[in-house]
Amino acid sequence: MSDFLNDKRFAGIEKFPQKLWLSSPTMHGDEQHWVDEAIRTNWVSTVGANINEVEKQIAEYVGVKYAVALSAGTAALHLATKLAGEKLYGQARPNAGTLQGRRVFCSDMTFDASINPVAYEDGEAIFIDTEPDTWNMSPQALEKAFELYPDTRLVVVAHLYGTPGKIEEIKAICDMHGALIVEDAAESLGAKYKLNGRWVETGTLGNYNCISFNGNKVITGSAGGMFLTDSLEDANKARKWSTQSRENAPWYQHEEIGYNYRMSNIIAGIVRGQIPYLDEHIAQKRAIWERYEKGLADLPVKMNPWDREKSEPNFWLSCLIIDEDAMAPQVRGEQNYLYKSEPGKSSPQEILDALAAFNAEGRPIWKPMHMQPIYRTHPFVTVEGNGRGRSNAYIAGSGVDVGADIFRRGLCLPSDNKMTAEQQERVIEIIHRCFL
Ligand SMILES: Cc1ncc(COP(=O)(O)O)c(C=O)c1O
């Protein structure tokens, strides 16, 4: 890494005395009250008033009939995926997943927690390339995937960085093929989408919907997540599975495999204290995105895009992508990287290193799942069809791979809602200096 603090390009810029985070928890005081209340009343367990209250309040906010509070977004995604598997293919034996031998179409550029539950349930994830307009699942690539694998009946779709994807198109394609949707709204709580002319929240758009209260999310419980649904049967099943699948018997009786996935009443106390501030956090995140858009307008970069007619992101993370002709050389191996500085150009790794040198935290774009070592043998579908093995020693392939391109040229910027305008101006200045 270069010595950014002594590099002439960065002369006059001071290091942040306190680290500027990508996205850290923002406590307000109410959290302490509800946690104390749980302890005072001795509801220090996976039952209690905080859990009941957060389930009620989030269901009301998002506009679903039922919310089931769980230990993590990942737990919600697992139960959602299992519910879908059981609905489509029936109950599995205790030692097998509900998706055994089945294919599932999955968002490709996302956190692996979105799609790992497909593997927990013994299914095979087929990765669907990303579109450049919202950085989410490409409906065209999804159509190609149904041409290649017409028997597929499940799609797992995430809203990247709080920006709703092209859900209307994706739903229409799924309806045409009789496929169900697991919606991963872990990053997008509070984001809105215009579905068939009506504004609705993300977290209501799939057949099975999930959110997260992980420490870096727009509101947090330190951990935690929820399964959201309009189906009482699915809500009850998720609740049962999450509490070790106890039957209604005087002793511990089990007809099904269970999990210890329920949210604790202490965690729920933190979430309960955060809910009143959700809209405020979103407004702060939006202001950050807008300041970046303005402050970086004169550079050869673009902000992460969103559909201004059909969506209102929650602006969880602000990101940028460098124009191709302003990309300085950068190579990434499996665990390390190299880059070169060139006048008028920069690269995500250079910008991330420069930010880190000045004590600010950015992050690479989620490395697409089809590029991950664990999933390299899984199919990947682009707008051109099969995205694997399109070139060989004799024929040059077109190499369309939108996700790989955004990963190569993009990065997540410090997006903490406590960042002041002055601090953000300094971040913007550091990015400008990278292009000198
Ligand atoms: C897109 C996405 N899906 C799933 C998860 C998993 O949520 P959790 O950390 O609550 O398990 C996260 C974040 O952590 C995420 O960003």
Side-chain angles (χ1 to χ4, degrees), residues 216-407:
N216 63 18
K217 295 295 183 286
V218 67
I219 58 169
T220 184
S222 71
M226 273 186 185
F227 169 65
L228 308 175
T229 181
D230 281 336
S231 157
L232 179 60
E233 198 184 329
D234 287 347
N236 282 339
K237 195 75 160 184
R239 211 165 263 143
K240 174 189 176 186
W241 286 345
S242 73
T243 50
Q244 305 288 18
S245 292
R246 274 187 78 177
E247 297 300 327
N248 189 13
W251 44 81
Y252 276 82
Q253 172 99 356
H254 305 285
E255 298 267 355
E256 297 179 274
I257 286 290
Y259 306 87
N260 185 5
Y261 280 174
R262 193 73 166 131
M263 183 183 277
S264 124
N265 196 46
I266 300 290
I267 301 282
I270 306 176
V271 176
R272 188 173 179 181
Q274 289 264 284
I275 293 171
Y277 300 94
L278 173 55
D279 289 339
E280 182 183 315
H281 289 190
I282 293 172
Q284 290 161 338
K285 296 261 185 192
R286 185 183 185 124
I288 288 169
W289 190 95
E290 286 170 351
R291 275 202 294 271
Y292 275 130
E293 190 191 36
K294 201 157 157 248
L296 299 171
D298 57 334
L299 287 179
V301 304
K302 314 259 176 315
M303 293 298 292
N304 49 327
W306 50 285
D307 182 338
R308 286 164 199 256
E309 272 173 28
K310 277 181 127 167
S311 73
E312 286 274 342
N314 71 358
F315 298 94
W316 174 54
L317 292 188
S318 289
C319 307
L320 66 73
I321 182 164
I322 300 174
D323 292 350
E324 182 63 58
D325 54 8
M327 269 292 288
Q330 162 193 270
V331 288
R332 282 171 166 153
E334 287 303 327
Q335 294 182 3
N336 40 33
Y337 56 86
L338 277 174
Y339 56 81
K340 247 171 70 180
S341 298
E342 284 187 0
K345 298 184 175 188
S346 189
S347 62
Q349 289 301 155
E350 183 183 42
I351 296 171
L352 290 168
D353 279 355
L355 290 171
F358 288 96
N359 211 15
E361 187 187 31
R363 194 198 257 173
I365 299 294
W366 294 129
K367 182 171 179 173
M369 290 299 112
H370 79 279
M371 298 170 75
Q372 296 288 353
I374 183 80
Y375 289 121
R376 255 188 215 136
T377 54
H378 284 228
F380 168 55
V381 183
T382 72
V383 288
E384 296 187 325
N386 179 12
R388 298 286 192 196
R390 288 195 74 83
S391 64
N392 63 38
Y394 310 104
I395 307 163
S398 78
V400 170
D401 185 338
V402 177
D405 184 46
I406 297 173
F407 172 61

Side-chain angles (χ1 to χ4, degrees), residues 71-75 77 110-115 158-161 184-187 211-217 223-225 316 363 366:
S71 56
T74 307
L77 282 154
T110 181
F111 187 42
D112 69 344
S114 303
I115 56 92
H159 306 287
L160 197 82
Y161 302 135
D184 179 359
E187 299 176 356
I211 56 171
S212 163
F213 300 114
N214 174 304
N216 63 18
K217 295 295 183 286
W316 174 54
R363 194 198 257 173
W366 294 129

